[in-house]
Amino acid sequence: MQSVGVIHQLARYPVKSMKGESLPSLPLTLQGFQEDRCYAFVQSESRSSFPWLTARELPELLRYQTSVEKAGSPDVAVSVTMASGEHWPVDSDGLREALERRFGKSVFLLRDYRGSFDVAAVSLITLQTVARIAEETGTQENPRRFRPNLLINLQEGGAFDELKWVGRNLRLGETARIAVTEVDQRCVMITLDPATGESNPDILKCVVQKHNKCAGVYATVLAPGEVRAGDAITLEG
């Protein structure tokens, strides 16, 4: 086994496309990190294979702060503080109606304990990759733009080295293990500033033209366990 780095930051996103929570530790279950993407708003009239209401349609979603109370219990509750300051339980009619007014179309809330993921349950990217993209685009380093569960600081190596882990297994800390299954092919989401929702198309243009659209990777869970910021990342095999 080879130690490749440490977990610099650990995050979950209780409501798809809304602002996440950075936490010192999180349980990793076979379905992903506890309460990650467990809720999503769906466009009622959509017949697309990707019907979610995301920041692609409503960029201000990135500024909606989510929080989880009593995670892992039957009484788990998620709340949302909107950019306007309004505070709602995620399953309230008030939040749904507020979103419909801003979006202009009907939506409904989906609760899925397996998570409403784009591709796989765990996403990760390295600090080195984030820094390289910022350097190439002349923008500020902002890992939140890439919305990873795991932000990793490599102890050796450089930007985009995580792409080489596809097909390999990683151990996170003492017990949790994940299988890196595929590269993360980026979309317009990374052009959106998570603090303002403003778009900078040059960021996606850079990733497409210089890095074949790829930054970060996806993984599935092999073994659950408690994962902590500061934990070592070990490449198996």
Side-chain angles (χ1 to χ4, degrees), residues 114-229:
R114 294 169 297 183
S116 296
F117 304 110
D118 286 1
V119 176
V122 178
S123 61
L124 62 91
I125 196 169
T126 64
L127 277 169
Q128 288 72 19
T129 297
V130 173
R132 174 70 62 80
I133 294 171
E135 178 185 354
E136 291 174 343
T137 56
T139 58
Q140 184 178 3
E141 292 181 28
N142 192 343
R144 287 175 52 208
R145 186 182 291 276
F146 301 91
R147 299 177 65 80
N149 294 119
L150 300 171
L151 179 62
I152 296 173
N153 189 11
L154 297 175
Q155 61 186 34
E156 294 180 1
F160 298 93
D161 274 5
E162 67 269 27
L163 304 184
K164 302 173 185 177
W165 300 342
V166 174
R168 306 284 296 277
N169 298 338
L170 296 175
R171 183 178 295 274
L172 314 178
E174 297 180 0
T175 59
R177 297 172 62 240
I178 59 175
V180 182
T181 54
E182 60 186 281
V183 298
D184 191 338
Q185 297 192 44
R186 295 295 177 168
C187 67
V188 70
M189 284 288 291
I190 66 171
T191 70
L192 302 174
D193 186 316
T196 65
E198 295 179 1
S199 176
N200 183 342
D202 288 344
I203 295 174
L204 181 59
K205 182 178 179 181
C206 167
V207 174
V208 169
Q209 294 182 347
K210 294 187 177 182
H211 305 291
N212 197 30
K213 204 177 180 180
C214 302
V217 292
Y218 285 111
T220 58
V221 181
L222 296 175
E226 190 74 16
V227 179
R228 298 172 178 83

Side-chain angles (χ1 to χ4, degrees), residues 1 4 8 11 21 31 46 54 66 87 101 113 154 195 235:
M1 294 196 296
V4 293
H8 180 77
E21 301 178 302
Q31 286 76 41
S46 175
T54 72
T66 56
H87 185 77
R101 287 194 297 272
Y113 76 95
L154 297 175
L235 188 62

